[in-house]
Amino acid sequence: MTQYVSFTSPNRQQGVARTLLLAGLIVLVGILAAGAGSYFYFMRAGSGSAEAAEQPPPKPTFVKVEPMTVNLDGGSRVLYIGLSLAVANPATADTLIAHMPEVRNRMLITLSDQSADELTSAAGKRAIAKSLRKTLRAAYREDGKPVAIDRVLFTDFIVQ
């Protein structure tokens, strides 16, 4: 008679079941660890942006330049202009205020070279704002750095 050996003995089946159960638990623990890591990563990233959102943005700093009247190129027309300068910080504002006569002089020289036709269009106003920003950013002392002027904002602008 022939004897058959069973490879599915009760002990072998229990060993396979334990191995599968152990592998399943390892996979489950790995998934839970990845989920927990993702949760803490995104919660921490979210809390940083929440803190940034809670802080109010810094108050803008402006330097008002009193209105002035300038004879335009050609001599028969004038420009009445007033503006504010948006600056990077209060220290820059203090520098500009301390040097206001020079600020106004630079503006006068820059504006007096313009023609009335150039200044009446929106593109002309943008161009003169850019030119004034460049002129006014130059250092006010020989050993000084350029002044951080972010924008030139017109408050009065009349060409006659």
Side-chain angles (χ1 to χ4, degrees):
M1 188 159 204
T2 312
Q3 270 188 315
Y4 292 102
V5 178
S6 173
F7 290 107
T8 58
S9 67
N11 288 340
R12 177 126 174 109
Q13 286 177 346
Q14 286 177 349
V16 170
R18 283 185 189 155
T19 304
L20 288 175
L21 181 62
L22 184 60
L25 285 175
I26 290 173
V27 169
L28 182 63
V29 167
I31 290 172
L32 290 174
S38 297
Y39 172 78
F40 286 114
Y41 174 76
F42 289 113
M43 288 303 292
R44 191 173 78 173
S47 69
S49 63
E51 289 174 7
E54 290 175 10
Q55 294 178 349
K59 290 184 178 182
T61 304
F62 297 100
V63 175
K64 181 178 180 175
V65 178
E66 293 297 322
M68 63 179 6
T69 303
V70 180
N71 289 324
L72 295 175
D73 192 27
S76 63
R77 302 199 59 190
V78 295
L79 169 66
Y80 177 80
I81 186 170
L83 54 91
S84 291
L85 304 172
V87 296
N89 52 50
T92 301
D94 292 341
T95 300
L96 289 170
I97 291 168
H99 292 89
M100 190 55 69
E102 189 171 350
V103 169
R104 291 178 63 86
N105 181 57
R106 289 181 185 186
M107 285 178 54
L108 180 69
I109 291 169
T110 302
L111 293 169
S112 64
D113 286 340
Q114 306 299 314
S115 71
D117 295 333
E118 293 171 346
L119 296 176
T120 54
S121 69
K125 289 178 179 80
R126 283 190 291 274
I128 195 61
K130 185 177 180 180
S131 177
L132 284 171
R133 181 175 176 252
K134 181 181 176 186
T135 301
L136 297 176
R137 288 183 76 181
Y140 287 88
R141 286 178 267 145
E142 289 182 25
D143 61 341
K145 297 178 187 175
V147 179
I149 297 175
D150 298 329
R151 293 182 317 253
V152 173
L153 307 166
F154 297 116
T155 55
D156 299 301
F157 201 96
I158 301 170
V159 177
Q160 288 185 342

